[in-house]
């Protein structure tokens, strides 16, 4: 099956990309045969990498990069095929570059390592927050880095301005190429939904602004009512203390009057009793009046508090709806994990992260999925919408881990229709669906797209590095929605996760432990 799939992929790739692709692929196959004959130890030390190459056509925006650990090569693809190719140097033994699915999450043209003595890593394009990146560096002709993917200095410099945050980076243990793919489960956008999206954005944004204004007003009213009632407890305590003292004086006067033995003593006691009784009555009257006056204020505090709570809830719903409408015109990424039996959705908000690193990704959809024969491997397949195709999308698939073939793997998954109805009608090129046996890596957080690592491949480049710092909590009630109206706009789709995720080991085919967050990133809200 593996040979049949490889042949099918190669044939489709040659048909799509013509003579340049055929020549390059032929060279790769010839070299693979030579390397096999020499043996892995000898081949790993040979300067066997192909030269840099540029496709003989005008290049479009890069959609994905595929790094082959086997061939020590990176290839960048636009909607019509490969556009740039260069040799690389990946992680050496013990510090292997982890194979899996990543995306660019930060770019720094003049980066210096905080882990390796301020080492210069020019034109750095980060794919994990624990330090795995693509960058310019020396290439000895074999795997030699500490886990990063080194590219030729000039190649990395010329590439830097061509890529965007969120671009897919696939690191494959073997050679892999995108193959054209069709399937009824893939997104089919609706032109009418895309055409209606701007109007819907405007309407929901206006509603969010109005809900925010109303929430601010009710919050101010609640604050004012609470402030006005703030002195009530102290005042009532004072009046209660005055009444207690007056009642005590009145009781003492009663005692004196009862014990009076002479007319003079009785007259004096009666005079004291009259004063004490009047004082006690006055204290009781003041206390009753204060209590009566305080009750409406207390009622106002309770009413304003409930109104503010309801307004805040309406604001949250309106802001989330407006944000979701805007995200509908962003490429959407879906990850389906056999390990967790869940489907996750991510879209880039293009808002800077509140802690200063990268951009924030929306993580508001996480739902269970049903997978037929869940004990059988699916493999790892990356389906990508490469371009518009009439009224639909033209898709490709890249397979980097054995299991079911791409079609059968997709056939086995029952995807909730409400998810597809929500994100499918406005799906755009560069949207993707990833199917994998793996759970999401603990490196996945609100500042990343999906990070998933093949558990049957060495992960030395991960385990020798410090883990990503846990996400920081972000407030969510400081104004609508972080897109174009002030406010932070993050709290509605970000919740902090457990900073110490528990291990999950669905396959245990390799020697390295793999991790899954112990708590979900966030539940669905429909």
């Amino acid at each position: 099956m593996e040979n049949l799939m490889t042949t099918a992929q190669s044939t489709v790739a040659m048909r799509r990309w013509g003579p340049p692709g055929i020549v390059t692929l032929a060279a790769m196959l010839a070299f693979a045969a030579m390397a096999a004959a020499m043996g892995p130890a000898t081949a790993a030390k040979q300067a066997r990498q192909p030269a840099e190459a540029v496709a003989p056509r005008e290049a479009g925006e890069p959609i994905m990069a595929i790094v082959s650990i086997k061939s020590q090569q990176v290839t960048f693809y636009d909607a019509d095929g490969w556009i740039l190719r260069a040799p690389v140097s990946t992680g050496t033994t013990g510090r292997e570059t982890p194979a899996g699915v990543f995306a660019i999450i930060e770019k720094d043209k003049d980066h210096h390592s905080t882990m390796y003595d301020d080492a210069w890593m020019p034109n750095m394009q980060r794919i994990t927050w624990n330090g795995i990146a693509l960058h310019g560096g020396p290439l000895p002709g074999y795997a030699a880095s500490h886990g990063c993917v080194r590219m030729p200095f000039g190649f990395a410099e010329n590439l830097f301005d061509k890529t965007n945050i969120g671009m897919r980076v696939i690191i494959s243990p073997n050679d892999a190429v995108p193959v054209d793919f069709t399937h009824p489960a893939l997104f089919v956008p609706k032109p009418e939904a895309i055409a209606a999206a701007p109007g819907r954005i405007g309407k929901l944004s206006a509603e969010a602004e109005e809900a925010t204004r109303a929430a601010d007003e009710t919050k101010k009213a609640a604050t004012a009512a609470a402030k006005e009632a703030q002195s009530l407890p102290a005042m009532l305590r004072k009046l209660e203390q005055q009444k207690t003292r007056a009642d005590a004086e009145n009781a003492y006067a009663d005692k004196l009057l009862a014990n009076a033995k002479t007319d003079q003593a009785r007259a004096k006691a009666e005079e004291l009793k009259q004063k004490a009784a009047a004082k006690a009555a006055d204290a009781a009257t003041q206390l009753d009046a204060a209590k009566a006056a305080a009750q409406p204020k207390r009622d106002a505090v309770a009413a304003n508090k409930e109104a503010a709570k309801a307004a805040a809830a309406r604001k949250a719903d309106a802001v989330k709806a407006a944000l979701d409408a805007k995200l509908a015109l962003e490429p959407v990424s879906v990850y389906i994990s056999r390990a967790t039996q869940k489907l996750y959705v991510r879209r880039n908000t293009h808002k800077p992260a509140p802690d200063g690193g990268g951009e924030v990704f929306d993580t508001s959809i996480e739902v269970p999925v049903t997978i037929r024969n869940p004990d059988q491997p699916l493999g790892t397949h990356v389906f990508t919408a490469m371009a518009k195709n009439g009224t639909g999308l033209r898709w490709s698939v890249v397979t980097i881990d054995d299991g079911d073939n791409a079609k059968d793997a997709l056939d086995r998954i029952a995807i909730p229709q409400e998810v597809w109805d929500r994100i499918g009608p406005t799906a755009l090129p560069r949207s993707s669906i990833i199917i994998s046996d793996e759970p999401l890596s603990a490196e996945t957080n609100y500042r990343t797209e999906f990070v998933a690592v093949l558990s049957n491949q060495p992960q030395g480049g991960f385990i020798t590095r410090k883990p990503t710092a846990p996400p920081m909590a972000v407030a969510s009630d400081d104004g609508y929605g972080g897109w174009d109206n002030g406010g932070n706009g993050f709290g509605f789709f970000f919740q902090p996760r457990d900073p110490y995720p528990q291990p999950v080991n669905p396959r245990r085919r390799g020697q390295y432990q793999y991790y899954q967050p112990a708590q979900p990133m966030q539940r669905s809200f429909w």
Side-chain angles (χ1 to χ4, degrees):
M1 177 62 71
E2 178 182 357
N3 291 337
L4 288 174
M5 287 298 294
T6 303
T7 302
Q9 291 178 347
S10 301
T11 302
V12 175
M14 289 187 288
R15 184 167 59 249
R16 284 187 55 199
W17 297 325
I22 295 172
V23 171
T24 303
L25 186 58
M28 290 168 58
L29 294 173
F31 176 76
M34 179 180 67
M38 292 188 297
T42 304
K45 292 297 182 180
Q46 296 297 316
R48 53 188 174 83
Q49 298 159 303
E52 295 178 36
V54 178
R57 60 179 176 82
E58 184 177 352
E61 178 183 345
I63 293 177
M64 73 175 78
I66 301 179
V67 176
S68 170
I69 295 176
K70 176 183 177 182
S71 296
Q72 292 292 284
Q73 177 177 264
V74 62
T75 305
F76 288 80
Y77 297 86
D78 68 3
D80 296 316
W82 77 274
I83 52 175
L84 298 168
R85 182 171 287 140
V88 299
S89 184
T90 60
T92 189
T93 303
R95 297 179 181 271
E96 297 90 351
T97 302
V101 181
F102 308 86
I104 295 173
I105 55 178
E106 185 185 42
K107 299 175 66 173
D108 184 358
K109 196 161 186 63
D110 189 27
H111 183 71
H112 290 261
S113 174
T114 58
M115 299 177 63
Y116 300 113
D117 300 322
D118 201 39
W120 186 42
M121 298 179 176
N123 300 291
M124 185 274 293
Q125 304 195 53
R126 184 187 301 278
I127 59 174
T128 76
W129 287 111
N130 73 356
I132 306 295
L134 315 177
H135 63 79
L139 273 65
Y142 48 84
S145 80
H146 288 85
C148 286
V149 178
R150 298 181 193 165
M151 302 181 292
F153 285 106
F155 182 88
E157 182 177 7
N158 292 332
L159 172 72
F160 188 81
D161 292 330
K162 295 179 172 63
T163 60
N164 294 311
I165 299 294
M167 189 200 79
R168 176 76 60 224
V169 177
I170 300 170
I171 300 179
S172 176
N174 299 300
D175 298 333
V177 296
V179 177
D180 284 340
F181 188 84
T182 60
H183 194 281
L186 299 175
F187 301 134
V188 179
K190 297 179 180 179
E192 61 273 19
I194 295 174
R200 186 168 180 268
I201 291 171
K203 177 178 178 292
L204 292 176
S205 295
E207 291 176 359
E209 290 174 0
E210 175 58 27
T212 299
R213 183 194 61 76
D216 290 344
E217 290 179 356
T218 54
K219 185 176 180 179
K220 288 178 182 177
T223 301
K227 186 176 182 180
E228 185 177 353
Q230 189 174 11
S231 62
L232 289 178
M235 181 188 69
L236 291 174
R237 282 196 302 270
K238 182 178 180 180
L239 291 175
E240 286 171 349
Q241 291 169 357
Q242 289 177 357
K243 183 178 182 299
T244 299
R245 287 195 297 270
D247 288 343
E249 291 175 4
N250 192 34
Y252 178 70
D254 285 338
K255 185 176 180 181
L256 288 178
L257 184 59
N259 294 331
K261 303 299 184 182
T262 64
D263 292 343
Q264 184 180 4
R266 187 176 294 106
K268 187 175 182 180
E270 287 177 349
E271 181 181 358
L272 182 62
K273 167 63 179 174
Q274 290 176 358
K275 291 180 179 179
K279 186 175 181 181
D282 183 56
T285 300
Q286 290 186 49
L287 180 58
D288 290 343
K291 286 182 177 179
Q295 191 57 46
K297 293 181 180 180
R298 285 173 168 167
D299 292 342
V301 170
N304 279 283
K305 184 178 180 180
E306 287 301 314
K309 184 178 179 181
R314 288 192 295 272
K315 170 190 169 182
D317 291 342
V319 168
K320 189 66 190 77
L323 177 61
D324 205 45
K326 291 184 178 182
L327 289 174
L329 291 181
E330 289 292 322
V332 60
S333 294
V334 175
Y335 188 89
I336 300 171
S337 167
R338 183 175 68 89
T340 63
Q341 304 279 299
K342 286 185 177 180
L343 176 151
Y344 310 85
V345 176
R346 257 173 158 64
R347 290 174 290 191
N348 193 355
T349 69
H350 301 291
K351 297 299 297 182
D355 49 357
E359 297 178 352
V360 171
F361 286 77
D362 175 77
T363 63
S364 57
I365 301 177
E366 175 183 320
V367 296
V369 293
T370 301
I371 300 176
R372 190 173 70 253
N373 300 326
D375 294 334
Q376 299 300 315
L378 291 167
T380 296
H381 313 278
V382 182
F383 305 90
T384 306
M386 303 299 286
K388 293 181 179 179
N389 183 10
T391 58
L393 295 170
R394 175 167 55 81
W395 289 80
S396 72
V397 64
V398 177
T399 296
I400 62 170
D401 191 28
D402 292 334
D404 240 347
N405 65 59
K407 177 186 179 302
D408 290 344
L410 201 52
D411 284 342
R412 287 169 54 193
I413 299 170
I415 299 168
Q417 189 60 45
E418 62 268 27
V419 176
W420 253 221
D421 290 343
R422 181 176 168 189
I423 63 180
T426 56
L428 300 173
R430 293 185 292 119
S431 295
S432 62
I433 301 171
I434 303 162
I435 295 175
S436 181
D437 296 305
E438 310 293 352
L440 287 173
S441 165
E443 274 294 301
T444 303
N445 61 44
Y446 72 103
R447 297 181 301 162
T448 72
E449 220 245 37
F450 296 120
V451 180
V453 180
L454 301 187
S455 59
N456 61 340
Q457 298 295 322
Q459 300 173 28
F462 258 177
I463 65 176
T464 58
R465 296 166 183 264
K466 294 180 181 180
T468 295
M472 58 184 289
V474 183
S476 63
D477 61 349
D478 295 331
Y480 159 65
W483 280 84
D484 48 24
N485 193 40
N488 57 61
F490 301 118
F492 294 107
F493 52 85
F494 159 61
Q495 292 178 349
R497 298 182 299 138
D498 184 351
Y500 304 104
Q502 299 300 311
V504 167
N505 194 11
R507 297 165 61 170
R508 195 64 182 176
R509 296 195 299 187
Q511 58 178 316
Y512 296 100
Q513 187 69 45
Y514 199 74
Y515 295 93
Q516 164 70 0
Q519 297 180 7
M521 288 168 287
Q522 187 164 351
R523 296 293 181 186
S524 167
F525 56 82
W526 57 70

